[in-house]
Amino acid sequence: MKSHSVYLHIPFCRHLCSYCDFNTYAGLEEHIPAYIQALCTEIEFVAEYCEQQIPVHTIFIGGGTPSILPVREFGKIFQTISRVFDIQEHVEITIEANPGRLSYGYLKSLRDLGINRLSLGMQSAIPEELRLLDRQHDNYRTEKAVNDARRAGFGNINLDLIFGIPDQTPLSWQMTMDLALSLNPDHFSLYSLSIEPGTPLNDWLGEGLISEPDSDIAAEMYELAEARLHEHGYQQYEISNWARKGDGLGLMSCQHNLQYWRNLPYLGFGAGAHGYAGENRTVNVSRPDRYIEKLLSSEVDSSQNDISYPSTPATTRVTVISQAEEIKETMMMGLRLTGEGISRREFHSRFGTSLEEVYGGEIEELLGLGLLEWDQVTSERLRLTPKGRLLGNQVFQRFI
Ligand code: SF4
């Protein structure tokens, strides 16, 4: 059986940021113990209904704010996971955290539990930008979180940064990059702000209180970041992600996210979590109270005989993925990988047909537009050009 990744969703935050449209809720912390019990029940359900013990090489605890959980709740999760899955020797275990409330003691406890990668939502170093985004931390807390994490033994730290914030300038972005680089993280994820319906930021935009981010300035910031990160020895491996070389000189890429971009199987547990396993894409019920009810109510016991892997009592949608769809998804996600791209050989061995047979016309056209290129040494890998990275959506549309 192929090795899987595991995603665990923790849908709780102390406070909602102004741009956030993730599946997360403030003020529901009292439900945390029941939620973790439900999460462990869901994990056990999948393990029990799968014929073999599933090999797992990455675990990602995302949210929400997973660092809102008391350490004992992580203990329960890891006891369950290590009992039911076949955890691989060099498993990568990531936790997302907000810099605001982390302490050395808390980080050390997480590290002792085996969590070995920390992803911090720094977002910006400019106080006005952090205020606009309604983030609950400042630069002192970010620097302290990174230093405490290093002392606690985290050898793999990611910083998330946002560009394209209203009224952000190339100069303020440069200042954010400078502070972030001075913290010497192992990995960067840079996101272009997208203002989503239903968020306070969208309301403020509608009321004329803030101005629409300028896409040309955002593109300038992206190019500036590419140059700065390159100067500092970080290598881009995905449209929004950069990593530096580790001690073994391999790139410290996020192995969990690589599983998504390579369109390989992962199990998603928790409210609103998505999964992709056994040729099915699954989606769970979004609200934490409904999730708890579905997994812990007695009615589940009587009806669960009808539910089979990879579905669980919390699954609300299952989509069977045909080979044609799998090919499209593999192209869309694989082309995000700026170095690796799509391998001709791997494509053929996975789908039994060649890249040119399926997409000859589209590839020729995109090569002609300067948006795609074959790697120069072997012509084995098809990938985005620097121009293609800026216009990624135009490329991906051709493969839908
Ligand atoms: S911390 Fe993250 S998940 Fe929570 S509200 Fe802010 S952006 Fe959303």
Side-chain angles (χ1 to χ4, degrees), residues 240-347:
S240 307
N241 288 276
W242 284 256
R244 70 174 182 196
K245 293 219 166 104
D247 292 341
L249 293 184
L251 210 56
M252 295 177 78
S253 327
C254 176
Q255 299 303 309
H256 184 85
N257 287 341
L258 280 174
Q259 188 84 352
Y260 298 149
W261 295 315
R262 291 174 179 155
N263 205 17
L264 293 171
Y266 58 93
L267 299 165
F269 298 106
H274 291 228
Y276 173 47
E279 296 171 5
N280 296 293
R281 288 201 178 272
T282 57
V283 183
N284 276 357
V285 62
S286 301
R287 286 201 54 97
D289 51 350
R290 289 289 297 133
Y291 176 78
I292 293 168
E293 204 178 293
K294 279 180 170 284
L295 281 150
L296 301 186
S297 72
S298 54
E299 122 207 9
V300 168
D301 292 333
S302 56
S303 63
Q304 66 187 17
N305 285 341
D306 305 336
I307 304 170
S308 62
Y309 172 84
S311 294
T312 75
T315 307
T316 53
R317 197 169 69 238
V318 180
T319 312
V320 180
I321 302 297
S322 65
Q323 170 153 310
E325 280 159 325
E326 189 183 339
I327 288 177
K328 284 183 208 164
E329 290 174 350
T330 301
M331 292 302 290
M332 303 247 303
M333 288 188 275
L335 283 173
R336 295 190 61 93
L337 293 168
T338 50
E340 181 173 316
I342 301 283
S343 148
R344 233 190 251 271
R345 195 165 27 79
E346 285 165 19
F347 186 95

Side-chain angles (χ1 to χ4, degrees), residues 12-13 15-17 19-22 24 63-65 98 123 135:
F12 304 104
C13 287
H15 168 92
L16 295 185
C17 305
Y19 60 100
C20 182
D21 76 332
F22 303 138
T24 191
T65 307
N98 279 334
Q123 316 310 3
R135 300 291 301 186

Side-chain angles (χ1 to χ4, degrees), residues 1-4 54-57 259 263-265 326 350:
M1 185 186 238
K2 274 187 196 151
S3 188
H4 285 50
I54 302 172
V56 169
H57 68 289
Q259 188 84 352
N263 205 17
L264 293 171
E326 189 183 339
R350 180 165 176 173

Side-chain angles (χ1 to χ4, degrees), residues 54-71:
I54 302 172
V56 169
H57 68 289
T58 74
I59 299 170
F60 194 103
I61 311 167
T65 307
S67 54
I68 207 171
L69 295 189
V71 171

Side-chain angles (χ1 to χ4, degrees), residues 33-88:
Y35 184 82
I36 299 303
Q37 198 188 333
L39 191 71
C40 293
T41 304
E42 192 186 19
I43 294 168
E44 283 167 345
F45 188 95
V46 164
E48 197 174 314
Y49 278 74
C50 181
E51 285 164 12
Q52 285 170 264
Q53 206 178 31
I54 302 172
V56 169
H57 68 289
T58 74
I59 299 170
F60 194 103
I61 311 167
T65 307
S67 54
I68 207 171
L69 295 189
V71 171
R72 65 175 176 279
E73 301 295 350
F74 288 109
K76 292 179 198 166
I77 295 171
F78 285 115
Q79 266 177 18
T80 305
I81 283 185
S82 53
R83 184 162 42 77
V84 303
F85 293 139
D86 175 16
I87 304 297
Q88 306 291 284

Side-chain angles (χ1 to χ4, degrees), residues 99-100 120-125 130 137-148 159 179-180 183:
L120 284 172
M122 172 177 169
Q123 316 310 3
S124 167
L130 288 171
H137 66 269
D138 55 20
N139 291 339
Y140 168 75
R141 299 299 312 184
T142 302
E143 288 177 52
K144 184 172 179 316
V146 172
N147 293 335
D148 285 348
L159 295 181
L179 181 71
L183 300 177

